[in-house]
PDB file of all heavy atoms in Angstrom:
ATOM      1  N   GLU A   1      10.815  -6.565  37.729  1.00 92.00           N
ATOM      2  CA  GLU A   1       9.574  -7.056  37.171  1.00 92.00           C
ATOM      3  C   GLU A   1       9.875  -8.020  36.024  1.00 92.00           C
ATOM      4  O   GLU A   1      10.971  -7.952  35.485  1.00 92.00           O
ATOM      5  CB  GLU A   1       8.728  -5.877  36.601  1.00 92.00           C
ATOM      6  CG  GLU A   1       8.128  -4.994  37.677  1.00 92.00           C
ATOM      7  CD  GLU A   1       7.163  -3.983  37.073  1.00 92.00           C
ATOM      8  OE1 GLU A   1       6.526  -4.345  36.068  1.00 92.00           O
ATOM      9  OE2 GLU A   1       7.046  -2.913  37.612  1.00 92.00           O
ATOM     10  N   PRO A   2       8.896  -8.890  35.661  1.00 93.00           N
ATOM     11  CA  PRO A   2       9.139  -9.723  34.519  1.00 93.00           C
ATOM     12  C   PRO A   2       9.297  -8.858  33.224  1.00 93.00           C
ATOM     13  O   PRO A   2       8.698  -7.808  33.144  1.00 93.00           O
ATOM     14  CB  PRO A   2       7.880 -10.602  34.384  1.00 93.00           C
ATOM     15  CG  PRO A   2       7.171 -10.432  35.746  1.00 93.00           C
ATOM     16  CD  PRO A   2       7.625  -9.132  36.318  1.00 93.00           C
ATOM     17  N   GLU A   3      10.076  -9.394  32.298  1.00 94.00           N
ATOM     18  CA  GLU A   3      10.247  -8.700  31.017  1.00 94.00           C
ATOM     19  C   GLU A   3       8.890  -8.614  30.333  1.00 94.00           C
ATOM     20  O   GLU A   3       8.089  -9.544  30.413  1.00 94.00           O
ATOM     21  CB  GLU A   3      11.224  -9.531  30.149  1.00 94.00           C
ATOM     22  CG  GLU A   3      11.564  -8.903  28.843  1.00 94.00           C
ATOM     23  CD  GLU A   3      12.589  -9.762  28.077  1.00 94.00           C
ATOM     24  OE1 GLU A   3      12.164 -10.775  27.477  1.00 94.00           O
ATOM     25  OE2 GLU A   3      13.750  -9.351  28.027  1.00 94.00           O
ATOM     26  N   SER A   4       8.607  -7.493  29.627  1.00 92.00           N
ATOM     27  CA  SER A   4       7.345  -7.367  28.930  1.00 92.00           C
ATOM     28  C   SER A   4       7.620  -7.106  27.452  1.00 92.00           C
ATOM     29  O   SER A   4       8.635  -6.493  27.084  1.00 92.00           O
ATOM     30  CB  SER A   4       6.489  -6.267  29.552  1.00 92.00           C
ATOM     31  OG  SER A   4       7.163  -5.049  29.467  1.00 92.00           O
ATOM     32  N   GLU A   5       6.698  -7.564  26.620  1.00 95.00           N
ATOM     33  CA  GLU A   5       6.804  -7.376  25.169  1.00 95.00           C
ATOM     34  C   GLU A   5       5.756  -6.439  24.721  1.00 95.00           C
ATOM     35  O   GLU A   5       4.634  -6.396  25.208  1.00 95.00           O
ATOM     36  CB  GLU A   5       6.648  -8.754  24.481  1.00 95.00           C
ATOM     37  CG  GLU A   5       6.929  -8.694  22.984  1.00 95.00           C
ATOM     38  CD  GLU A   5       6.850 -10.095  22.376  1.00 95.00           C
ATOM     39  OE1 GLU A   5       7.882 -10.789  22.339  1.00 95.00           O
ATOM     40  OE2 GLU A   5       5.739 -10.451  21.919  1.00 95.00           O
ATOM     41  N   PHE A   6       6.107  -5.571  23.776  1.00 92.00           N
ATOM     42  CA  PHE A   6       5.140  -4.636  23.195  1.00 92.00           C
ATOM     43  C   PHE A   6       5.417  -4.411  21.749  1.00 92.00           C
ATOM     44  O   PHE A   6       6.507  -4.707  21.253  1.00 92.00           O
ATOM     45  CB  PHE A   6       5.067  -3.325  23.993  1.00 92.00           C
ATOM     46  CG  PHE A   6       6.340  -2.518  23.995  1.00 92.00           C
ATOM     47  CD1 PHE A   6       6.475  -1.443  23.144  1.00 92.00           C
ATOM     48  CD2 PHE A   6       7.341  -2.829  24.873  1.00 92.00           C
ATOM     49  CE1 PHE A   6       7.633  -0.700  23.120  1.00 92.00           C
ATOM     50  CE2 PHE A   6       8.511  -2.036  24.866  1.00 92.00           C
ATOM     51  CZ  PHE A   6       8.667  -1.035  23.961  1.00 92.00           C
ATOM     52  N   VAL A   7       4.421  -3.899  21.023  1.00 94.00           N
ATOM     53  CA  VAL A   7       4.497  -3.660  19.572  1.00 94.00           C
ATOM     54  C   VAL A   7       4.369  -2.213  19.345  1.00 94.00           C
ATOM     55  O   VAL A   7       3.431  -1.548  19.840  1.00 94.00           O
ATOM     56  CB  VAL A   7       3.418  -4.470  18.855  1.00 94.00           C
ATOM     57  CG1 VAL A   7       3.420  -4.139  17.363  1.00 94.00           C
ATOM     58  CG2 VAL A   7       3.631  -5.959  19.050  1.00 94.00           C
ATOM     59  N   ILE A   8       5.269  -1.673  18.496  1.00 93.00           N
ATOM     60  CA  ILE A   8       5.113  -0.278  18.018  1.00 93.00           C
ATOM     61  C   ILE A   8       4.604  -0.418  16.588  1.00 93.00           C
ATOM     62  O   ILE A   8       5.289  -0.972  15.733  1.00 93.00           O
ATOM     63  CB  ILE A   8       6.450   0.485  18.086  1.00 93.00           C
ATOM     64  CG1 ILE A   8       6.913   0.628  19.510  1.00 93.00           C
ATOM     65  CG2 ILE A   8       6.301   1.823  17.405  1.00 93.00           C
ATOM     66  CD1 ILE A   8       8.231   1.268  19.690  1.00 93.00           C
ATOM     67  N   LYS A   9       3.406   0.127  16.362  1.00 92.00           N
ATOM     68  CA  LYS A   9       2.805   0.039  15.025  1.00 92.00           C
ATOM     69  C   LYS A   9       3.059   1.355  14.310  1.00 92.00           C
ATOM     70  O   LYS A   9       2.964   2.436  14.878  1.00 92.00           O
ATOM     71  CB  LYS A   9       1.290  -0.181  15.154  1.00 92.00           C
ATOM     72  CG  LYS A   9       0.582  -0.400  13.856  1.00 92.00           C
ATOM     73  CD  LYS A   9      -0.884  -0.780  14.059  1.00 92.00           C
ATOM     74  CE  LYS A   9      -1.508  -1.153  12.744  1.00 92.00           C
ATOM     75  NZ  LYS A   9      -2.425  -0.153  12.201  1.00 92.00           N
ATOM     76  N   ILE A  10       3.421   1.236  13.051  1.00 92.00           N
ATOM     77  CA  ILE A  10       3.702   2.418  12.230  1.00 92.00           C
ATOM     78  C   ILE A  10       2.396   2.837  11.575  1.00 92.00           C
ATOM     79  O   ILE A  10       1.830   2.074  10.811  1.00 92.00           O
ATOM     80  CB  ILE A  10       4.786   2.138  11.165  1.00 92.00           C
ATOM     81  CG1 ILE A  10       6.008   1.487  11.836  1.00 92.00           C
ATOM     82  CG2 ILE A  10       5.171   3.469  10.483  1.00 92.00           C
ATOM     83  CD1 ILE A  10       6.625   2.208  13.000  1.00 92.00           C
ATOM     84  N   GLN A  11       1.957   4.027  11.878  1.00 88.00           N
ATOM     85  CA  GLN A  11       0.673   4.547  11.361  1.00 88.00           C
ATOM     86  C   GLN A  11       0.852   5.121   9.958  1.00 88.00           C
ATOM     87  O   GLN A  11       1.752   5.865   9.736  1.00 88.00           O
ATOM     88  CB  GLN A  11       0.107   5.556  12.314  1.00 88.00           C
ATOM     89  CG  GLN A  11      -1.286   6.031  11.959  1.00 88.00           C
ATOM     90  CD  GLN A  11      -1.801   7.005  12.985  1.00 88.00           C
ATOM     91  OE1 GLN A  11      -1.568   6.868  14.181  1.00 88.00           O
ATOM     92  NE2 GLN A  11      -2.505   8.015  12.536  1.00 88.00           N
ATOM     93  N   ASP A  12      -0.024   4.719   9.058  1.00 86.00           N
ATOM     94  CA  ASP A  12       0.102   5.076   7.639  1.00 86.00           C
ATOM     95  C   ASP A  12      -0.188   6.540   7.403  1.00 86.00           C
ATOM     96  O   ASP A  12      -1.053   7.109   8.030  1.00 86.00           O
ATOM     97  CB  ASP A  12      -0.869   4.201   6.832  1.00 86.00           C
ATOM     98  CG  ASP A  12      -0.563   4.245   5.376  1.00 86.00           C
ATOM     99  OD1 ASP A  12       0.602   4.426   4.955  1.00 86.00           O
ATOM    100  OD2 ASP A  12      -1.525   4.057   4.554  1.00 86.00           O
ATOM    101  N   ILE A  13       0.475   7.171   6.437  1.00 84.00           N
ATOM    102  CA  ILE A  13       0.106   8.403   5.823  1.00 84.00           C
ATOM    103  C   ILE A  13      -0.067   8.132   4.328  1.00 84.00           C
ATOM    104  O   ILE A  13       0.398   7.097   3.810  1.00 84.00           O
ATOM    105  CB  ILE A  13       1.135   9.507   6.074  1.00 84.00           C
ATOM    106  CG1 ILE A  13       2.461   9.201   5.418  1.00 84.00           C
ATOM    107  CG2 ILE A  13       1.282   9.805   7.562  1.00 84.00           C
ATOM    108  CD1 ILE A  13       3.460  10.366   5.368  1.00 84.00           C
ATOM    109  N   ASN A  14      -0.694   9.051   3.645  1.00 86.00           N
ATOM    110  CA  ASN A  14      -0.937   8.881   2.219  1.00 86.00           C
ATOM    111  C   ASN A  14       0.284   9.287   1.447  1.00 86.00           C
ATOM    112  O   ASN A  14       0.371  10.360   0.906  1.00 86.00           O
ATOM    113  CB  ASN A  14      -2.174   9.686   1.793  1.00 86.00           C
ATOM    114  CG  ASN A  14      -2.637   9.314   0.420  1.00 86.00           C
ATOM    115  OD1 ASN A  14      -2.115   8.427  -0.201  1.00 86.00           O
ATOM    116  ND2 ASN A  14      -3.657   9.986  -0.059  1.00 86.00           N
ATOM    117  N   ASP A  15       1.271   8.365   1.406  1.00 86.00           N
ATOM    118  CA  ASP A  15       2.536   8.686   0.779  1.00 86.00           C
ATOM    119  C   ASP A  15       2.830   7.854  -0.492  1.00 86.00           C
ATOM    120  O   ASP A  15       3.934   7.814  -0.998  1.00 86.00           O
ATOM    121  CB  ASP A  15       3.702   8.538   1.781  1.00 86.00           C
ATOM    122  CG  ASP A  15       3.853   7.131   2.318  1.00 86.00           C
ATOM    123  OD1 ASP A  15       2.875   6.361   2.262  1.00 86.00           O
ATOM    124  OD2 ASP A  15       4.928   6.786   2.810  1.00 86.00           O
ATOM    125  N   ASN A  16       1.783   7.129  -0.962  1.00 87.00           N
ATOM    126  CA  ASN A  16       1.964   6.351  -2.190  1.00 87.00           C
ATOM    127  C   ASN A  16       0.812   6.655  -3.138  1.00 87.00           C
ATOM    128  O   ASN A  16      -0.327   6.733  -2.734  1.00 87.00           O
ATOM    129  CB  ASN A  16       1.944   4.846  -1.870  1.00 87.00           C
ATOM    130  CG  ASN A  16       3.161   4.403  -1.146  1.00 87.00           C
ATOM    131  OD1 ASN A  16       4.227   4.235  -1.760  1.00 87.00           O
ATOM    132  ND2 ASN A  16       3.059   4.220   0.161  1.00 87.00           N
ATOM    133  N   GLU A  17       1.168   6.870  -4.385  1.00 91.00           N
ATOM    134  CA  GLU A  17       0.155   7.139  -5.382  1.00 91.00           C
ATOM    135  C   GLU A  17      -0.296   5.770  -6.018  1.00 91.00           C
ATOM    136  O   GLU A  17       0.508   4.845  -6.053  1.00 91.00           O
ATOM    137  CB  GLU A  17       0.672   8.090  -6.491  1.00 91.00           C
ATOM    138  CG  GLU A  17       1.659   7.542  -7.455  1.00 91.00           C
ATOM    139  CD  GLU A  17       3.054   7.443  -6.915  1.00 91.00           C
ATOM    140  OE1 GLU A  17       3.333   8.000  -5.795  1.00 91.00           O
ATOM    141  OE2 GLU A  17       3.905   6.832  -7.553  1.00 91.00           O
ATOM    142  N   PRO A  18      -1.543   5.718  -6.491  1.00 93.00           N
ATOM    143  CA  PRO A  18      -1.964   4.477  -7.147  1.00 93.00           C
ATOM    144  C   PRO A  18      -1.127   4.242  -8.411  1.00 93.00           C
ATOM    145  O   PRO A  18      -0.701   5.172  -9.098  1.00 93.00           O
ATOM    146  CB  PRO A  18      -3.422   4.753  -7.536  1.00 93.00           C
ATOM    147  CG  PRO A  18      -3.842   5.869  -6.638  1.00 93.00           C
ATOM    148  CD  PRO A  18      -2.617   6.688  -6.382  1.00 93.00           C
ATOM    149  N   LYS A  19      -0.930   2.957  -8.726  1.00 94.00           N
ATOM    150  CA  LYS A  19      -0.119   2.576  -9.906  1.00 94.00           C
ATOM    151  C   LYS A  19      -0.869   1.540 -10.704  1.00 94.00           C
ATOM    152  O   LYS A  19      -1.482   0.653 -10.189  1.00 94.00           O
ATOM    153  CB  LYS A  19       1.235   2.021  -9.488  1.00 94.00           C
ATOM    154  CG  LYS A  19       2.144   3.063  -8.834  1.00 94.00           C
ATOM    155  CD  LYS A  19       3.546   2.547  -8.709  1.00 94.00           C
ATOM    156  CE  LYS A  19       4.427   3.717  -8.472  1.00 94.00           C
ATOM    157  NZ  LYS A  19       5.227   3.735  -7.353  1.00 94.00           N
ATOM    158  N   PHE A  20      -0.814   1.718 -12.031  1.00 93.00           N
ATOM    159  CA  PHE A  20      -1.359   0.716 -13.013  1.00 93.00           C
ATOM    160  C   PHE A  20      -0.249  -0.257 -13.293  1.00 93.00           C
ATOM    161  O   PHE A  20       0.583  -0.079 -14.170  1.00 93.00           O
ATOM    162  CB  PHE A  20      -1.815   1.406 -14.277  1.00 93.00           C
ATOM    163  CG  PHE A  20      -3.063   2.234 -14.092  1.00 93.00           C
ATOM    164  CD1 PHE A  20      -2.969   3.616 -13.935  1.00 93.00           C
ATOM    165  CD2 PHE A  20      -4.316   1.664 -14.072  1.00 93.00           C
ATOM    166  CE1 PHE A  20      -4.117   4.387 -13.782  1.00 93.00           C
ATOM    167  CE2 PHE A  20      -5.459   2.419 -13.913  1.00 93.00           C
ATOM    168  CZ  PHE A  20      -5.358   3.783 -13.761  1.00 93.00           C
ATOM    169  N   LEU A  21      -0.211  -1.344 -12.526  1.00 90.00           N
ATOM    170  CA  LEU A  21       0.872  -2.347 -12.658  1.00 90.00           C
ATOM    171  C   LEU A  21       0.747  -3.137 -13.959  1.00 90.00           C
ATOM    172  O   LEU A  21       1.740  -3.664 -14.431  1.00 90.00           O
ATOM    173  CB  LEU A  21       0.876  -3.285 -11.438  1.00 90.00           C
ATOM    174  CG  LEU A  21       1.078  -2.579 -10.073  1.00 90.00           C
ATOM    175  CD1 LEU A  21       1.055  -3.579  -8.945  1.00 90.00           C
ATOM    176  CD2 LEU A  21       2.430  -1.829 -10.075  1.00 90.00           C
ATOM    177  N   ASP A  22      -0.465  -3.282 -14.491  1.00 88.00           N
ATOM    178  CA  ASP A  22      -0.669  -4.068 -15.714  1.00 88.00           C
ATOM    179  C   ASP A  22      -0.668  -3.245 -16.985  1.00 88.00           C
ATOM    180  O   ASP A  22      -0.873  -3.772 -18.064  1.00 88.00           O
ATOM    181  CB  ASP A  22      -1.982  -4.872 -15.606  1.00 88.00           C
ATOM    182  CG  ASP A  22      -1.991  -5.820 -14.445  1.00 88.00           C
ATOM    183  OD1 ASP A  22      -0.900  -6.368 -14.123  1.00 88.00           O
ATOM    184  OD2 ASP A  22      -3.084  -6.061 -13.878  1.00 88.00           O
ATOM    185  N   GLY A  23      -0.493  -1.930 -16.854  1.00 82.00           N
ATOM    186  CA  GLY A  23      -0.573  -1.060 -18.021  1.00 82.00           C
ATOM    187  C   GLY A  23       0.724  -1.108 -18.855  1.00 82.00           C
ATOM    188  O   GLY A  23       1.688  -1.702 -18.389  1.00 82.00           O
ATOM    189  N   PRO A  24       0.790  -0.480 -20.016  1.00 91.00           N
ATOM    190  CA  PRO A  24      -0.345   0.232 -20.609  1.00 91.00           C
ATOM    191  C   PRO A  24      -1.393  -0.722 -21.157  1.00 91.00           C
ATOM    192  O   PRO A  24      -1.079  -1.854 -21.563  1.00 91.00           O
ATOM    193  CB  PRO A  24       0.268   1.045 -21.741  1.00 91.00           C
ATOM    194  CG  PRO A  24       1.561   0.287 -22.093  1.00 91.00           C
ATOM    195  CD  PRO A  24       1.979  -0.390 -20.831  1.00 91.00           C
ATOM    196  N   TYR A  25      -2.657  -0.299 -21.100  1.00 93.00           N
ATOM    197  CA  TYR A  25      -3.768  -1.114 -21.609  1.00 93.00           C
ATOM    198  C   TYR A  25      -4.042  -0.796 -23.047  1.00 93.00           C
ATOM    199  O   TYR A  25      -3.981   0.369 -23.480  1.00 93.00           O
ATOM    200  CB  TYR A  25      -5.021  -0.831 -20.799  1.00 93.00           C
ATOM    201  CG  TYR A  25      -4.902  -1.275 -19.321  1.00 93.00           C
ATOM    202  CD1 TYR A  25      -4.422  -0.449 -18.355  1.00 93.00           C
ATOM    203  CD2 TYR A  25      -5.386  -2.519 -18.943  1.00 93.00           C
ATOM    204  CE1 TYR A  25      -4.305  -0.882 -17.051  1.00 93.00           C
ATOM    205  CE2 TYR A  25      -5.308  -2.956 -17.650  1.00 93.00           C
ATOM    206  CZ  TYR A  25      -4.772  -2.123 -16.699  1.00 93.00           C
ATOM    207  OH  TYR A  25      -4.679  -2.528 -15.421  1.00 93.00           O
ATOM    208  N   THR A  26      -4.354  -1.852 -23.829  1.00 93.00           N
ATOM    209  CA  THR A  26      -4.753  -1.645 -25.224  1.00 93.00           C
ATOM    210  C   THR A  26      -6.075  -2.366 -25.435  1.00 93.00           C
ATOM    211  O   THR A  26      -6.259  -3.527 -24.961  1.00 93.00           O
ATOM    212  CB  THR A  26      -3.714  -2.284 -26.154  1.00 93.00           C
ATOM    213  OG1 THR A  26      -2.426  -1.722 -25.889  1.00 93.00           O
ATOM    214  CG2 THR A  26      -4.076  -2.020 -27.624  1.00 93.00           C
ATOM    215  N   ALA A  27      -7.053  -1.692 -26.000  1.00 93.00           N
ATOM    216  CA  ALA A  27      -8.372  -2.298 -26.193  1.00 93.00           C
ATOM    217  C   ALA A  27      -8.940  -1.737 -27.493  1.00 93.00           C
ATOM    218  O   ALA A  27      -8.541  -0.658 -27.980  1.00 93.00           O
ATOM    219  CB  ALA A  27      -9.265  -1.972 -25.047  1.00 93.00           C
ATOM    220  N   GLY A  28      -9.870  -2.478 -28.052  1.00 93.00           N
ATOM    221  CA  GLY A  28     -10.569  -2.036 -29.238  1.00 93.00           C
ATOM    222  C   GLY A  28     -12.091  -2.135 -28.994  1.00 93.00           C
ATOM    223  O   GLY A  28     -12.533  -2.911 -28.169  1.00 93.00           O
ATOM    224  N   VAL A  29     -12.840  -1.403 -29.776  1.00 93.00           N
ATOM    225  CA  VAL A  29     -14.280  -1.484 -29.702  1.00 93.00           C
ATOM    226  C   VAL A  29     -14.819  -1.365 -31.106  1.00 93.00           C
ATOM    227  O   VAL A  29     -14.351  -0.543 -31.899  1.00 93.00           O
ATOM    228  CB  VAL A  29     -14.852  -0.363 -28.775  1.00 93.00           C
ATOM    229  CG1 VAL A  29     -14.555   1.005 -29.268  1.00 93.00           C
ATOM    230  CG2 VAL A  29     -16.349  -0.526 -28.522  1.00 93.00           C
ATOM    231  N   PRO A  30     -15.745  -2.260 -31.502  1.00 93.00           N
ATOM    232  CA  PRO A  30     -16.290  -2.212 -32.872  1.00 93.00           C
ATOM    233  C   PRO A  30     -16.988  -0.877 -33.128  1.00 93.00           C
ATOM    234  O   PRO A  30     -17.641  -0.332 -32.245  1.00 93.00           O
ATOM    235  CB  PRO A  30     -17.274  -3.362 -32.913  1.00 93.00           C
ATOM    236  CG  PRO A  30     -16.929  -4.249 -31.753  1.00 93.00           C
ATOM    237  CD  PRO A  30     -16.303  -3.367 -30.708  1.00 93.00           C
ATOM    238  N   GLU A  31     -16.905  -0.380 -34.339  1.00 91.00           N
ATOM    239  CA  GLU A  31     -17.600   0.870 -34.660  1.00 91.00           C
ATOM    240  C   GLU A  31     -19.111   0.637 -34.527  1.00 91.00           C
ATOM    241  O   GLU A  31     -19.582  -0.490 -34.678  1.00 91.00           O
ATOM    242  CB  GLU A  31     -17.215   1.356 -36.021  1.00 91.00           C
ATOM    243  CG  GLU A  31     -17.627   0.514 -37.201  1.00 91.00           C
ATOM    244  CD  GLU A  31     -17.276   1.128 -38.521  1.00 91.00           C
ATOM    245  OE1 GLU A  31     -17.222   2.357 -38.632  1.00 91.00           O
ATOM    246  OE2 GLU A  31     -17.081   0.369 -39.490  1.00 91.00           O
TER     247      GLU A  31
END
């Protein structure tokens, strides 16, 4: 038969925690 192409997709699991890439944050607020 002719050669055939197929894709194996890797299904995600929740294996990464959210990250604050721009932290630490510093802010001020007037009294």
Side-chain angles (χ1 to χ4, degrees):
E1 287 190 31
E3 184 178 75
S4 61
E5 188 175 271
F6 63 99
V7 173
I8 296 177
K9 185 174 188 253
I10 311 306
Q11 187 177 321
D12 195 29
I13 64 168
N14 193 3
D15 61 340
N16 289 284
E17 72 281 352
K19 291 192 165 123
F20 289 98
L21 300 178
D22 299 328
Y25 292 87
T26 304
V29 62
E31 66 177 332

